[in-house]
Amino acid sequence: MLKIVIAGGFGAGKTTAVGAVSEITPLSTEEYLTEASTDVDSLEGVEAKQTTTVAFDFGRLNLPDAPEPLELFLFGTPGQDRFVDLWYELSRGAVGAVVLVDTRRLESSFTPVSFFEDIGLPIVVAVNHFHGAHRYHPEQVRAALDLPTSVPVITDVSPHWTVGARATSWDARNPNHVAGVLLTLVGHAVQNTPARAAHPASTTTLQDA
């Protein structure tokens, strides 16, 4: 049983990713955007967005065929910087976080990346490709976000994630794509477990999950 955080900037696809892969009806706390948030929630680049997560999303995924059978509890964070205090609570007991990136609004990824670096939680970065968005090489994304070489950056789908799949861009709407990133995160977190000993706040327990 592992707890995983799905994070990223406003409108990056967190609610979509949790909903795509969850085996249960996901818990969602989305509310309609109103004029009251006009001054704090910029819709530049995501003008069609009508709702926003105000607490968290929750989903569950069983992976019995993984190298070690896994039951994943997924917690999607609200994307706006003003919810950072809530990110601390959602990250407690997590083994790691997936940071979704929208290259149309790359600057919205800086805060979540820095947040997880500061609390010592392993991350995987996945670029959620939106229609009309420019395609970047993973190393370009890494450089833009100033990520160390140890952090996996995923822009395209691994052929192992979908049998017979051709090379294609990663998409938060595709359950196989999301599951593949979650497995990548689990493997990355396992490899970085010793480095996390100095961060007791990030230690995973079944009770926390």
Side-chain angles (χ1 to χ4, degrees):
M1 298 171 61
L2 299 176
K3 177 181 180 182
I4 291 176
V5 177
I6 310 293
F10 179 55
K14 301 176 294 296
T15 299
T16 299
V18 172
V21 80
S22 179
E23 294 176 340
I24 63 172
T25 301
L27 169 66
S28 179
T29 58
E30 285 205 306
E31 297 290 344
Y32 283 101
L33 292 164
T34 67
E35 292 185 2
S37 68
T38 301
D39 294 335
V40 291
D41 293 333
S42 171
L43 293 179
E44 183 178 356
V46 289
E47 288 80 7
K49 187 171 177 59
Q50 297 180 330
T51 61
T52 185
T53 299
V54 296
F56 63 90
D57 301 309
F58 174 75
R60 188 182 70 203
L61 175 63
N62 284 290
L63 296 171
D65 297 326
E68 290 287 340
L70 298 173
E71 184 175 12
L72 305 181
F73 295 92
L74 312 175
F75 289 80
T77 70
Q80 298 92 319
D81 292 358
R82 67 178 184 275
F83 290 111
V84 166
D85 287 344
L86 182 57
W87 297 359
Y88 282 103
E89 295 302 319
L90 294 176
S91 300
R92 190 179 302 277
V95 298
V98 175
V99 177
L100 299 186
V101 171
D102 177 359
T103 56
R104 302 171 303 172
R105 295 159 53 95
L106 190 62
E107 68 282 355
S108 68
S109 304
F110 296 156
T111 298
V113 167
S114 297
F115 172 82
F116 293 115
E117 288 179 340
D118 289 345
I119 67 172
L121 199 65
I123 66 170
V124 166
V125 169
V127 177
N128 188 20
H129 288 288
F130 290 85
H131 179 71
H134 185 77
R135 267 46 174 173
Y136 294 93
H137 188 276
E139 293 309 311
Q140 291 178 295
V141 176
R142 184 187 307 281
L145 295 176
D146 195 23
L147 296 170
T149 56
S150 59
V151 174
V153 177
I154 297 166
T155 59
D156 296 315
V157 176
S158 167
H160 300 292
W161 295 352
T162 305
V163 176
R166 296 178 298 174
T168 185
S169 299
W170 193 87
D171 190 333
R173 298 170 297 183
N174 189 305
N176 289 325
H177 295 193
V178 179
V181 164
L182 295 175
L183 284 173
T184 300
L185 173 63
V186 171
H188 177 60
V190 168
Q191 292 176 353
N192 286 273
T193 297
R196 298 175 60 205
H199 302 279
S202 300
T203 301
T204 301
T205 66
L206 296 184
Q207 182 178 358
D208 287 332

